[in-house]
Amino acid sequence: DVTGVQACALPIYADAGIVYFGTLAQREQRSRAALAAVLEATPAKRYLDLNLRPGQYEESTVTRSLEAADIVKVNEEELQALFQWYFQIGPNDAPLATGEVHAACRALMDRFGLDTLIVTLGHRGSVVFLADGGLIANRAGLLGVRYETDAQGTAWFNPAMREVQEKIDKLLPSTVNLVSVRSEEHTS
């Protein structure tokens, strides 16, 4: 749990495409400082997997993590905690209508400048909110998300689609290769 980063190791993060981090890795000050150094050393996208475990996080660490993130993944209970902390919507309040939940998710994204908010729903799948609205899904679930850094790209979660993308990228190097699914399965 206690991790440090030597200054000489920081240049290896400069070309990273994405940095994946969570709150569990930030339980100790030395680990939080190491993560801050890595995030400072790279312009990479930042993917926060919140992982709120009882007694294993501080609200200030969650806030700093959200401020540093571009993409955030939470489960329903974690989303409820965020709603309570940042919007004073408590678990004992009247249930929110679907539109109100979506609006609160968008407000959370706006508050922290998030590109993507992924809410996992257990056996019911997941819901993805994107700043630009571009997600790729089919009946089986989320296949991937479109993003833009210095060029457009797709982060495929589906292994078969990831493999297709890799094959096309090898055949057409140094180009932006966007793969799509059948139109009835594409959601924007």
Side-chain angles (χ1 to χ4, degrees):
D1 280 321
V2 180
T3 304
V5 176
Q6 300 295 322
C8 64
L10 290 175
I12 66 172
Y13 296 102
D15 294 327
I18 193 162
V19 174
Y20 179 92
F21 67 102
T23 52
L24 291 176
Q26 298 181 69
R27 290 178 279 192
E28 300 291 332
Q29 176 55 36
R30 183 173 174 198
S31 300
R32 289 190 295 275
L35 176 62
V38 167
L39 294 177
E40 181 68 28
T42 181
K45 285 283 189 185
R46 291 115 189 256
Y47 185 115
L48 170 62
D49 189 351
L50 203 56
N51 284 321
L52 297 182
R53 302 292 184 265
Q56 300 296 314
Y57 64 90
E58 296 175 6
E59 187 178 338
S60 60
T61 299
V62 172
T63 299
R64 278 193 308 275
S65 296
L66 288 165
E67 290 169 345
D70 298 305
I71 302 165
V72 174
K73 182 180 79 65
V74 296
N75 62 35
E76 289 176 284
E77 293 78 24
E78 293 163 343
L79 183 64
Q80 201 168 46
L82 298 179
F83 283 176
Q84 187 168 4
W85 292 340
Y86 303 114
F87 303 123
Q88 292 72 51
I89 300 171
N92 296 325
D93 292 342
L96 299 177
T98 301
E100 294 171 315
V101 172
H102 290 188
C105 287
R106 292 283 177 199
L108 189 67
M109 292 178 70
D110 290 344
R111 180 180 183 130
F112 292 104
L114 303 176
D115 295 334
T116 307
L117 175 64
I118 302 165
V119 182
T120 60
L121 306 170
H123 72 281
R124 294 174 292 139
S126 62
V127 178
V128 179
F129 298 91
L130 297 164
D132 67 358
L135 69 125
I136 303 165
N138 67 13
R139 290 183 186 136
L142 182 66
L143 298 175
V145 294
R146 296 264 194 244
Y147 64 87
E148 185 167 342
T149 54
D150 58 334
Q152 286 186 338
T154 306
W156 292 106
F157 304 126
N158 178 280
M161 291 303 296
R162 187 178 316 117
E163 185 178 328
V164 167
Q165 183 75 56
E166 288 169 358
K167 287 179 181 177
I168 291 171
D169 289 344
K170 283 182 184 177
L171 291 170
L172 302 167
S174 303
T175 62
V176 176
N177 304 305
L178 299 177
V179 178
S180 296
V181 295
R182 291 192 319 240
S183 61
E184 69 267 13
E185 294 180 339
H186 185 270
T187 307
S188 292

